Amino acid sequence: MTEWYNEKEIKEENINNENDNKNGSENTLSILEDKLPSRLIIIPVIGKPLFPGLYAPFPIPPIHAASVNKAIEESNGFLGLNLFISDNPKEDGKVSPEDIYKVGVIVKVFKKLNLPDGGLNLLINSIKRFKIIRFINTESILRVEPLYMPDISAYSSKEDENEIKAYTKALLSEVKALSENNPLFTEEMRLTMINVDDPGRLADFVTSMINAERASQQEILETFEVRDRLEKVLLLLQKEREITKIQQKIQGSINPNKKDIEN
């Protein structure tokens, strides 16, 4: 549910970052990756995992506001987001290492809105996958030692390169077929997908848009090899399209019966 607040009640804070460009370009990401911290404050995420390449608002509940403020103070706005393993986690604010997945995404906070209820609304840029090597602190603020994970996409032969291209084309074809009957895929999103020239990022973007189960999306996040990621996302898309076909078939059988009843 969206909450609206009086402008006087909200304090907006820009997170100043020397030499950081905010246009989301590849050059900006390169600059940010050079500055990634060796120790990272993380907060748990409810819902579905985030993927690299996102530049969007992100809400923070009051219980985790202190961790975000500490990350801004200590790490120039770098923050780790890791998904809760349970889809119904406890709400007492206490998080143990066993409660979250070990692979998450590091984000950069560019803007912060302090809300009247004590929560925050952030403008973030999600940058890169990371794996938790060890927990440094598990008290009120979770600190970890991260291992930043690059996409593994080295081609050992022309055949490997062609295989990646084939998977990418198949992925775009499945998205096109699915988007014809799926209102979630707007024209702007379709154009974005066409203009993403990195196969790994394309797989991430598509996964973030489809209605896949949270565990399946987390599995994609934990897949560092681009070819394997493309294959898994393609299977998710095919499954989603089959479900859409069944829904349309059911809806088609219900509508004639409804007309008969009304007549």
Side-chain angles (χ1 to χ4, degrees):
M1 180 178 179
T2 303
E3 296 186 56
W4 296 92
Y5 298 102
N6 188 300
E7 289 184 3
K8 294 180 180 179
E9 297 179 306
I10 301 177
K11 179 183 178 184
E12 179 173 326
E13 180 182 342
N14 289 307
I15 311 304
N16 295 321
N17 306 291
E18 186 179 355
N19 296 326
D20 281 356
N21 192 345
K22 298 180 183 179
N23 60 11
S25 67
E26 290 184 7
N27 182 52
T28 303
L29 289 176
S30 177
I31 293 172
L32 292 177
E33 288 188 16
D34 288 342
K35 298 181 178 180
L36 297 182
S38 58
R39 292 190 175 188
L40 188 64
I41 292 176
I42 65 171
I43 61 170
V45 176
I46 298 174
K48 294 185 177 181
L50 272 73
F51 289 85
L54 176 73
Y55 191 74
F58 189 78
I60 299 292
I63 202 166
H64 297 307
S67 293
V68 174
N69 289 327
K70 199 68 175 174
I72 291 171
E73 176 188 335
E74 291 183 357
S75 306
N76 200 25
F78 287 110
L79 180 71
L81 301 177
N82 292 68
L83 186 68
F84 270 116
I85 294 175
S86 171
D87 57 2
N88 187 28
K90 54 191 177 183
E91 300 180 357
D92 58 4
K94 297 178 181 178
V95 182
S96 68
E98 294 75 25
D99 294 331
I100 58 176
Y101 287 104
K102 300 305 180 286
V103 174
V105 63
I106 183 171
V107 305
K108 174 75 168 175
V109 179
F110 285 121
K111 281 188 178 181
K112 181 184 73 168
L113 288 174
N114 297 306
L115 302 179
D117 65 356
L120 305 171
N121 195 21
L122 308 178
L123 179 62
I124 63 169
N125 182 195
S126 53
I127 303 167
K128 198 168 191 174
R129 289 166 166 82
F130 74 90
K131 182 188 295 184
I132 296 174
I133 300 300
R134 68 184 181 97
F135 286 83
I136 299 169
N137 181 26
T138 59
E139 299 301 322
S140 57
I141 294 180
L142 291 175
R143 287 184 177 84
V144 303
E145 180 184 340
L147 175 64
Y148 298 108
M149 305 300 299
D151 284 352
I152 303 172
S153 57
Y155 308 131
S156 59
S157 66
K158 188 68 176 178
E159 184 179 349
D160 290 339
E161 184 178 354
N162 290 336
E163 187 177 30
I164 293 292
K165 289 180 179 179
Y167 270 110
T168 302
K169 288 182 179 180
L171 194 67
L172 289 171
S173 178
E174 282 292 333
V175 169
K176 182 180 179 182
L178 182 61
S179 64
E180 291 173 356
N181 299 297
N182 192 326
L184 290 177
F185 287 91
T186 64
E187 184 62 27
E188 183 180 357
M189 291 175 184
R190 284 192 285 268
L191 288 173
T192 299
M193 282 182 277
I194 292 173
N195 291 321
V196 175
D197 58 2
D198 181 278
R201 284 295 170 90
L202 176 63
D204 288 344
F205 181 79
V206 172
T207 305
S208 68
M209 296 310 304
I210 61 178
N211 191 30
E213 296 179 356
R214 61 199 304 275
S216 297
Q217 289 194 328
Q218 178 65 29
E219 183 182 354
I220 300 299
L221 186 67
E222 295 180 6
T223 304
F224 310 124
E225 220 292 332
V226 172
R227 180 201 171 280
D228 293 344
R229 192 187 309 164
L230 287 166
E231 183 177 12
K232 290 178 180 179
V233 176
L234 190 58
L235 290 174
L236 287 179
L237 280 171
Q238 291 169 347
K239 180 180 178 181
E240 186 74 12
R241 192 148 68 95
E242 288 302 314
I243 291 174
T244 301
K245 285 182 180 179
I246 294 171
Q247 289 175 334
Q248 290 175 337
K249 184 177 180 180
I250 293 172
Q251 192 65 36
S253 64
I254 290 175
N255 287 338
N257 293 334
K258 184 178 179 181
K259 289 181 181 179
D260 292 341
I261 293 172
E262 291 174 350
N263 293 333

